[in-house]
Amino acid sequence: MPGIDIQLLGLPTITRPDGEGPQPRGRKAWGLLAYLLLHDMPTPRNQLAALLFPDAYDPLGALRWQLSDLRRVLGTRASLGGDPLMLRIASSRVDVLRRLVPTPGSILSAELLEGYDFTDCPAFDGWLTMERHRFRHAVETAVYDGGLSALANGDTEGAIALATRAVQLDPLNADFHALLVRSLMEARDEPEARRCADRCRGVFAEELGEGLPAEVQRALAAPVVPSSTLPATTLTVTSYLEAAKACLSAGAPGTALSHLRVATGLAQRMGDRALQAETLLALAEALTHGAGGRGAEVADLLHRVLSLSRNGDPAVRSAAYRELGFLAVQRGFPASGARWLAKAVAAARALPDQRAKALGVMGMLATDTADYPGAVVVLTESVRLSVGLAAVRQEAFATTMLGRVHLLTGRARRAAVELDAALALVTQEHWTAFSPFVEALRSEAYLARGEDRAAEGLADHATALAGSFGDRCFMDAAAHAKASVLLARGDVAGAATWIDRGVQPHPWYRWFRGRNLDLATTAAMSDNPPQALRFAQELGERSSRYGHRELTVRSYSSRALLGDDGAAATIRVLAQGIENPALTEHLARRHQL
């Protein structure tokens, strides 16, 4: 049977091979179809009726009428019935369920059910608002990724077109501006690159009170390849790679980056594509994990690695995919992260060390997006592989991430076991730079079990160590731990200092800042409700964009306590499917859900 195309982004429409055909009658039918397609589990009829027809005399009757209309439109291609209600459509193509692959000539709309308003259905409107944020962000990310790929493959015209579109979609994203400027510089159009940078400067000054983002400044500067009289040989390049690795282990990222830039210059002089890919990968990893690089510069390097190694070493390709996934996770691009990490695992099919690393990042993504059972599965496998390989650092990383899952789901005793094991591994490996992250989480596990003194000692050590390394991720984690300790003993003023640190803009890892926004909301709830509401609203908008589902639920919960009736109606819908006993208890305590 010929398939049908269902378009929900932009002005919604259903198209058949023989023409447009009948369409759903009105916004409620479109809303019902969108919910059934996007909600990944069967839904009870009474819940759908309450969502879409809260004021109807006969909500279930109204739902039956709309279901009849959808059956008319979808015809024999669809099976729609039961309670809970399930929709199956044969041979259908739904735009929001397919991977978005923009081309330079395509115009992607970023609005779900564009033009339709559901403010008279508060619960459904809350769900739709969250989905609109999520898909708008997914479209922006797809356009950005497409521009990076075009640039890495030498298609500067395509890169400029896609970067321009990305900037139109989100004018306050520094990475998008950096990609546009970088693409223009690559096309040798420096005057236009400078004009774009000036426009970016004006937007950031007017909207945020900030200067030209550092990422754009770096893009505007011509790339510097260190001059060297050294012989361009494999041995020389390998020597610099080894020296850089030693510097990174010793906590000297600046020196390591200098060595790596020399190595990339030498590899480029040699014209050896495999060696160029290896050096660019090492540089990207050092920028990401040693210097906090999270933007277009690092992503560009990784896309160039993939372009150079198209038929090359699977370990290099897997690592590049993994690092792109890691960037996507930390920047809050879950759909993009999932795609890159799936590629990383596939490329590492015969490489257990690379597979362990990719699964570790998959566990991060699953945790951030509130798939806690899935996180436990992949992190446990990462630990198992790491133990078999005697890969101590990877074992420590995955074990720490397991501890984080147990901490977030209210299993403080299990979290303590995992985090103590991770601390022992970190000590064994002399991995001091990673210690503040593990210590911050362990501090919270102590606090959850009422061991306040131990919690405070570890929080103090974690904040001092994270500050000395200048690692924003670990600083945000340590600030949450320290503020939590102070709030537990009633020192609201002292906690405010650490909360302020944790909610600073431009985080390296957006989930951690979201968690600090949630803590800030709770801390301000009784003494400063207007400030608490501002925190909660910002958290809701950002977490829904970034796919941080539990943080979105928590933001709506706080808004409901602060008098937002629309948010109160949405909590149950947003929380559905999140398997977290701690969240269930939290919502029951607050709202008797």
Side-chain angles (χ1 to χ4, degrees), residues 224-226 232 236-238 240-241 256-272 275-284 301 305 308:
V224 177
V225 177
T236 309
V237 172
T238 303
Y240 270 88
L241 288 173
L257 290 172
S258 297
H259 290 330
L260 289 168
R261 293 191 191 281
V262 171
T264 57
L266 292 171
Q268 186 175 345
R269 278 169 51 195
M270 291 174 63
D272 185 326
L275 201 54
Q276 286 183 67
E278 184 180 351
T279 57
L280 288 174
L281 174 62
L283 178 58
L301 289 172
V305 171
L308 288 163

Side-chain angles (χ1 to χ4, degrees), residues 83-103:
D83 191 4
L85 197 63
M86 295 184 67
L87 169 64
R88 295 188 180 90
I89 310 177
S91 305
S92 66
R93 293 178 297 275
V94 184
D95 58 354
V96 293
L97 300 182
R98 298 201 312 265
R99 178 185 171 186
L100 298 168
V101 184
T103 62

Side-chain angles (χ1 to χ4, degrees), residues 45-57:
R45 289 185 178 232
N46 60 354
Q47 180 177 310
L48 275 170
L51 273 175
L52 280 162
F53 313 102
D55 298 324
Y57 173 75

Side-chain angles (χ1 to χ4, degrees), residues 359-360 363-364 367 374-383 398 401-402 405:
L359 291 173
M364 289 175 59
T367 306
V376 170
V377 170
V378 293
L379 290 170
T380 301
E381 177 64 6
S382 180
V383 170
M401 291 300 169
L402 267 177
V405 175

Side-chain angles (χ1 to χ4, degrees), residues 12 29 65 111 147 189 207 276-277 330 354 361 388 390 447 473 503 553:
W65 191 93
E111 186 76 327
D189 190 352
E207 299 292 334
Q276 286 183 67
Q330 293 223 320
Q354 293 296 331
V361 184
L447 191 64
C473 288
V503 299
V553 173

